[in-house]
Amino acid sequence: MHFQGKVWKLGDHIDTDLIIPARFLNVSDKDILAKNCFADLRPEFAGDVRKGDILVAGVNFGCGSSREHAPWAIKAAGIDVIIAKSFARIFYRNAFNIGLPILESEEAADAVEEGDRLDVDLTTGRIGVVGRDRVFQAKPVPDFMRQIILAGGLVDYVKQKARA
Amino acid sequence: MTPMTLTEKILARHAGRDAVQPGDLIDVEVDLALANDITAPLAIGVFEGFGLDRVFDREKVALVPDHFVPNKDIPSAQQAKLMANFAARYDIEHYFELSESGIEHVILPEKGLVVPGDLVIGADSHTCTYGALGAFSAGVGSTDLGVIMATGRIWLKVPAGIKVVYHGRLQPWVGGKDLILKTIGLLGVEGAGYKTLAFSGEGIGQLGMDDRFTMANMAVEAGAKNGIFAPDETTREYMAGRSRREGLYLADDPDAVFEEVVEIDLETLEPQVAFPHSPENVRPVAEAGAVKLDQVFIGSCTNGRLSDLRKAAAILKGRTVARGTRLIVIPGSPTIYRDAIREGIIETLLEAGAVIGPPCCGPCLGGHMGILAEGEKALSTSNRNFIGRMGHPKSEVYLANPTVAAASAVTGHITAPDTL
């Protein structure tokens, strides 16, 4: 699985309230969630993000609430993959469950800058910076997780297993 | 036999295995699955995608609308209605609204729906609260919960443990909130990432259930998967006559392996305050300085229980809330509300100038009934003080125990209760 896109760079401890503030949680419509993604942190995000863009963040990304609206807002906004130094536990589960790939790499998170173009190979965990001749190696995604992503998320994965 | 921690024992039983160890990926049976009015709608969508005509067990699903109720606007009313319709259609036994409802993590233990040794999974990050009873409980998102409603099972990774040992005697004005804030301050918000926080030591025996709920509730603020207490006599007393089911009173094996041990001396522990914008940004209340407050909130799944209101009322009795500061108090459940009326707590709070809200999550997550304006500062007994948590992104939230909250409401700035 291969992704290429432009980087949005964020800091450490980006919590779910920053990803999608509670005032937008009275709906679960994914387009509305996407329109309000990072509403307080990066008000320009929803308007400027392009399909295939990549988020790069520091430690503990997605800490806080269990709200799955957070990874949904990011995915529906067009982000294809998130790279962070580390992810909070519930966000980690949620991202895989909805088929949003995430990778952990301290080196990439330190070196990559806003606006860089990345080339990400989910199978190998290889992260290349286009035109900068830099390559980083993320922790490979466990096979079980990759199967969930390949199936398009946990629901389809469970359905496939039920059929098998 | 391999020595195991309490958490490992519960997980092994629910996986149908003799033993498990940290890092094992296991498939477990769930005793209770929980969702609220924010997370249930997505979970219901997932469940309905399976095309089943029943949930895995109508007695093992709990649905509690508590975040935006009484419905604050039309979209939240639609969400709550979707949940009510689902509960009716699938004959969900534990669906609670308004007069029999309240905050999910307050009412589930109160109604005896969780017993020691249970495995509880909820689509709310503070599901870890039930660790106070010696149950394994953890938060997940809506997709996981939807799959559980269909299958009754979930995959989990067995967490490694951090043992937190509390030594010595609890000091005046110090409660569970201070123990957990101190712990989060020491570990950091990521310090227990993917791990179990096992609360232990002779200090724990001095804590009632309300304080233990507060501590287990905030395990997730240190990144933990679950927080847990070995059930003891206090747990037995709390459980007596409360549940149809017998609990399983397990403990860590004496030689159980923990990845890390943290020791905290209660003899020197003062009330703590978490400064904006992180629960790890903790300092003793005496070092808080003069922080002027626009609002004080006493309530939430962390500190909205009867003993919390009782402690606040003891300070507010015969005193009044400072001019320029709003005091909002929300009892965690209708039972707590009624008991607080009987004890005269509510009258004391009203006379002091508090406004009392109906049992719900309210201002804790900036939902309704106490949203902060730009530049406002609030002291809250809740569990999170992230940027914009209670309203405007340029507002500030400080976290503290109910006695600090009450004393601060009287003076209008952050105040140690012993200085009043």
Side-chain angles (χ1 to χ4, degrees):
Chain A
M1 299 180 84
H2 230 72
F3 302 98
Q4 248 210 34
K6 188 172 74 80
V7 168
W8 289 80
K9 183 87 186 275
L10 305 169
D12 289 339
H13 305 294
I14 302 297
D15 60 67
T16 50
D17 283 83
L18 285 175
I19 299 170
I20 183 83
R23 61 182 183 276
F24 303 116
L25 297 182
N26 53 1
V27 295
S28 359
D29 181 302
K30 282 151 199 158
D31 290 332
I32 297 177
L33 295 175
K35 281 198 187 85
N36 296 297
C37 188
F38 299 121
D40 297 334
L41 183 72
R42 299 287 298 265
E44 77 285 12
F45 177 82
D48 295 350
V49 66
R50 292 290 166 260
K51 175 74 195 124
D53 282 359
I54 292 170
L55 283 186
V56 176
V59 298
N60 205 21
F61 186 86
C63 58
S65 164
S66 73
R67 62 186 77 153
E68 203 166 283
H69 310 65
W72 269 122
I74 291 170
K75 188 181 180 185
I79 296 290
D80 270 353
V81 61
I82 310 175
I83 299 162
K85 290 185 182 176
S86 62
F87 291 89
R89 187 191 73 84
I90 301 175
F91 187 91
Y92 187 92
R93 274 192 93 100
N94 286 347
F96 279 102
N97 283 347
I98 69 163
L100 171 64
I102 57 180
L103 285 172
E104 290 185 337
S105 169
E106 281 209 37
E107 294 74 22
D110 277 332
V112 168
E113 287 166 23
E114 173 112 359
D116 281 349
R117 273 194 82 77
L118 298 187
D119 184 283
V120 180
D121 185 327
L122 196 66
T123 317
T124 60
R126 185 191 170 280
I127 300 165
V129 186
V130 178
R132 276 221 284 146
D133 200 24
R134 300 281 309 262
V135 175
F136 307 97
Q137 182 60 47
K139 277 190 212 165
V141 175
D143 193 44
F144 165 60
M145 300 291 201
R146 211 167 50 240
Q147 286 176 36
I148 293 178
I149 293 286
L150 279 170
L154 184 65
V155 172
D156 292 316
Y157 175 78
V158 170
K159 283 183 185 165
Q160 279 180 13
K161 289 237 303 191
R163 276 198 296 270
Chain B
M1 286 291 283
T2 327
M4 283 192 288
T5 65
L6 168 54
T7 290
E8 287 159 3
K9 286 181 187 179
I10 298 172
L11 292 177
R13 291 183 73 98
H14 286 81
R17 288 164 57 158
D18 292 332
V20 294
Q21 53 185 342
D24 287 354
L25 279 177
I26 55 171
D27 180 49
V28 293
E29 202 177 320
V30 172
D31 294 310
L32 190 68
L34 163 73
N36 59 47
D37 49 332
I38 289 179
T39 58
L42 280 173
I44 289 167
V46 168
F47 174 82
E48 288 180 336
F50 292 112
L52 301 168
D53 57 4
R54 57 186 292 275
V55 297
F56 81 103
D57 188 333
R58 57 173 288 277
E59 295 178 14
K60 292 185 178 176
V61 174
L63 297 177
V64 187
D66 57 1
H67 280 63
F68 293 142
V69 297
N71 301 324
K72 73 156 177 165
D73 55 15
I74 294 168
S76 18
Q78 294 294 124
Q79 289 201 139
K81 188 176 179 195
L82 191 145
M83 201 175 169
N85 287 348
F86 178 82
R89 182 168 169 202
Y90 292 93
D91 198 19
I92 302 295
E93 181 170 335
H94 306 301
Y95 170 73
F96 306 106
E97 59 181 336
L98 291 187
S99 69
E100 54 172 5
S101 190
I103 302 173
E104 52 197 308
H105 308 308
V106 175
I107 67 168
L108 261 49
E110 192 180 271
K111 292 177 186 291
L113 300 185
V114 182
V115 300
D118 270 357
L119 192 149
V120 182
I121 302 292
D124 188 277
S125 59
H126 294 110
T127 303
C128 51
T129 306
Y130 316 120
L133 294 170
F136 174 90
S137 59
V140 296
S142 296
T143 296
D144 272 324
L145 211 274
V147 171
I148 295 171
M149 287 202 292
T151 64
R153 305 189 72 86
I154 187 172
W155 68 266
L156 294 173
K157 191 162 86 172
V158 178
I162 298 178
K163 186 174 184 164
V164 192
V165 190
Y166 301 92
H167 297 288
R169 248 172 336 113
L170 210 56
Q171 301 303 300
W173 313 109
V174 172
K177 183 59 156 286
D178 307 296
L179 273 61
I180 191 65
L181 282 177
K182 179 73 185 174
T183 308
I184 296 164
L186 284 173
L187 290 170
V189 289
E190 207 198 10
Y194 297 91
K195 292 176 191 150
T196 294
L197 276 186
F199 302 110
S200 67
E202 76 269 15
I204 296 303
Q206 305 162 53
L207 299 173
M209 283 312 307
D210 286 1
D211 283 292
R212 298 182 193 190
F213 285 127
T214 304
M215 292 174 69
N217 175 284
M218 290 186 70
V220 68
E221 309 311 336
K225 180 174 213 156
N226 70 315
I228 199 160
F229 291 74
D232 60 7
E233 268 317 300
T234 304
T235 325
R236 278 185 198 280
E237 278 168 31
Y238 179 84
M239 290 310 304
R242 202 178 279 275
S243 180
R244 299 186 284 210
R245 295 185 295 126
E246 272 298 309
L248 202 60
Y249 289 72
L250 302 169
D252 296 326
D253 284 327
D255 45 356
V257 178
F258 288 92
E259 202 174 81
E260 190 182 341
V261 178
V262 177
E263 314 214 29
I264 292 175
D265 181 10
L266 296 183
E267 304 279 344
T268 57
L269 184 71
E270 301 165 54
Q272 306 285 304
V273 178
F275 271 53
H277 294 283
S278 172
E280 74 176 19
N281 196 6
V282 170
R283 61 186 88 162
V285 63
E287 292 167 25
V291 179
K292 165 96 182 64
L293 299 169
D294 301 284
Q295 182 169 303
V296 172
F297 168 52
I298 301 176
S300 87
C301 58
T302 309
N303 281 104
R305 297 187 173 79
L306 188 63
S307 63
D308 299 314
L309 304 192
R310 199 180 277 148
K311 286 176 195 167
I315 286 176
L316 285 158
K317 192 162 183 74
R319 296 187 167 111
T320 48
V321 173
R323 199 173 169 81
T325 304
R326 312 179 289 266
L327 173 60
I328 300 170
V329 178
I330 298 191
S333 75
T335 305
I336 292 169
Y337 201 163
R338 278 194 299 271
D339 289 346
I341 288 172
R342 274 192 211 110
E343 279 192 29
I345 291 170
I346 297 296
E347 196 177 351
T348 302
L349 296 173
L350 285 169
E351 276 172 2
V355 65
I356 314 290
C360 68
C361 302
C364 168
L365 78 160
H368 57 166
M369 298 192 295
I371 312 285
L372 301 177
E374 181 172 0
E376 287 195 326
K377 294 183 198 269
L379 187 144
S380 170
T381 65
S382 62
N383 35 38
R384 286 195 177 130
N385 56 350
F386 300 156
I387 292 170
R389 175 69 180 178
M390 289 178 70
H392 198 281
K394 287 187 180 141
S395 60
E396 290 186 347
V397 182
Y398 298 75
L399 306 175
N401 81 32
T403 66
V404 174
S408 303
V410 170
T411 62
H413 56 264
I414 295 180
T415 299
D418 59 351
T419 61
L420 266 193

